[in-house]
Amino acid sequence: MRFPQELERWEGNTVEHWRRAWNLPRLHILEWTGSTNDDVRTLAQERAPQLTTVIAERQTAGRGQHGRSWQGSPGKSLHFSALLRPAETPALTATPIRVGLAVARALTGLLGIDIKLKWPNDVLLNGRKLGGILCESTTGRETFVVVGIGVNVGQDAADFDEDIRDRATSVAMAGLGVSRAAVAGALAGALTNLSARSALELSADELSELAHVDALLGHDIEIDGTPAGVARGISPLGALLVEKNGSLTAISGGTVRAKHHAFSPRLRGNPSDQGLD
Ligand code: BTN
């Protein structure tokens, strides 16, 4: 299948060059689309192979977590979705956390600055949101996971809406001259390594690596605006562990924010932004 709005060239090279460089079975780079996650799901239903990837310059219906919209800047942000076909039915709640860990590892390696994660799937740089991950699973006769990743690469502060400007960041704002192609290559590499692993639960090694990148760990948090206790890490099934009055609860949903954090002030305006809480 070819999309009518498919590009032949991107970031100074042919799409075929990037497909080979990133070792992907299929790569579509689109001038625009609704949501790259929807495109990958359509391709998955047409039997596309694992790691089939769609990138778009512009999304007209980009989705974020919690049903929010995701808005990028054409030519500056990366909208990237890839298909995972787990060999066994994985713990689908653990999968997004495992993906986040792989993305954090890859971006830390590429950028040389520690990337942190805010449960479940915010990617933080210097305490601000650099990007987000939206994993959408389809179970049934065939189980697959569409991994959608949005990364702010070339934006200046002025590219972000005023209501999120103090909480969002980009690769360029961190003073790094790293291209969208380099970021996409790092993400493709992260997912390639990950696709070989299909353990049901997060392993002890993964949990200990997560503890190093968990931006919430040890902080007082609120869930959906209500004080919830102190974040105590992630469970093997990917839930957020919260301690209150001496007992530990595993939280599997809700909008979490840490109190007194750069990335946590309440929104003043409409939260149709970059999933900032
Ligand atoms: C979040 O809310 O933090 C997750 C944002 C995920 C955005 C990406 S951009 C590529 C892919 N396509 C979408 O519609 N969403 C994801």
Side-chain angles (χ1 to χ4, degrees):
M1 159 177 184
R2 248 188 90 78
F3 294 85
Q5 69 279 31
E6 194 141 354
L7 297 173
E8 291 288 343
R9 297 183 65 80
W10 187 70
E11 298 274 284
N13 257 304
T14 63
V15 174
E16 179 58 13
H17 165 90
W18 295 121
R19 187 192 70 75
R20 284 170 190 264
W22 304 336
N23 202 17
L24 295 172
R26 273 175 78 168
L27 173 65
H28 301 272
I29 304 189
L30 311 179
E31 197 178 342
W32 57 269
T33 192
S35 158
T36 51
N37 269 28
D38 291 341
D39 296 328
V40 169
R41 184 190 298 109
T42 302
L43 294 169
Q45 284 159 348
E46 293 169 0
R47 305 261 156 112
Q50 156 123 312
L51 292 172
T52 290
T53 298
V54 175
I55 290 172
E57 284 291 11
R58 197 158 49 84
Q59 297 187 116
T60 54
R63 280 195 297 282
Q65 299 161 43
H66 309 295
R68 298 198 177 111
S69 67
W70 179 265
Q71 291 172 8
S73 312
K76 297 184 175 178
S77 44
L78 178 67
H79 311 119
F80 176 108
S81 296
L83 175 63
L84 295 184
R85 289 192 181 279
E88 309 148 30
T89 302
L92 291 174
T93 52
T95 301
I97 307 298
R98 183 171 284 127
V99 168
L101 191 55
V103 166
R105 205 186 291 132
L107 292 181
T108 297
L110 177 72
L111 305 177
I113 299 182
D114 282 349
I115 295 291
K116 301 271 183 192
L117 297 170
K118 177 185 159 239
W119 185 91
N121 266 154
D122 284 359
V123 178
L124 306 180
L125 174 66
N126 297 332
R128 292 174 175 226
K129 188 154 171 171
L130 177 73
I133 302 170
L134 179 67
C135 290
E136 296 178 316
S137 312
T138 300
T139 51
R141 225 157 42 101
E142 279 185 74
T143 294
F144 60 83
V145 181
V146 176
V147 177
I149 308 171
V151 183
N152 302 322
V153 182
Q155 285 102 323
D156 299 321
D159 290 312
F160 295 108
D161 286 349
E162 210 178 308
D163 58 353
I164 62 166
R165 203 167 285 160
D166 58 347
R167 288 166 294 141
T169 192
S170 72
V171 171
M173 286 166 68
L176 303 167
V178 174
S179 68
R180 288 185 303 163
V183 175
L187 298 181
L191 296 179
T192 302
N193 292 335
L194 179 89
S195 61
R197 306 167 76 173
S198 58
L200 279 169
E201 297 190 347
L202 296 163
S203 67
D205 282 353
E206 287 174 313
L207 291 172
S208 110
E209 198 181 344
L210 272 167
H212 286 99
V213 298
D214 181 351
L216 294 174
L217 191 64
H219 288 281
D220 262 326
I221 59 164
E222 289 182 349
I223 301 177
D224 296 331
T226 305
V230 178
R232 292 291 183 215
I234 312 290
S235 81
L237 285 173
L240 179 67
L241 298 172
V242 183
E243 184 186 341
K244 192 173 189 181
N245 301 329
S247 65
L248 211 54
T249 310
I251 305 290
S252 53
T255 298
V256 177
R257 53 180 213 113
K259 295 183 188 170
H260 320 302
H261 250 259
F263 57 87
S264 64
R266 283 178 192 285
L267 280 178
R268 288 182 297 278
N270 177 0
S272 61
D273 52 21
Q274 289 213 335
L276 281 155
D277 311 317

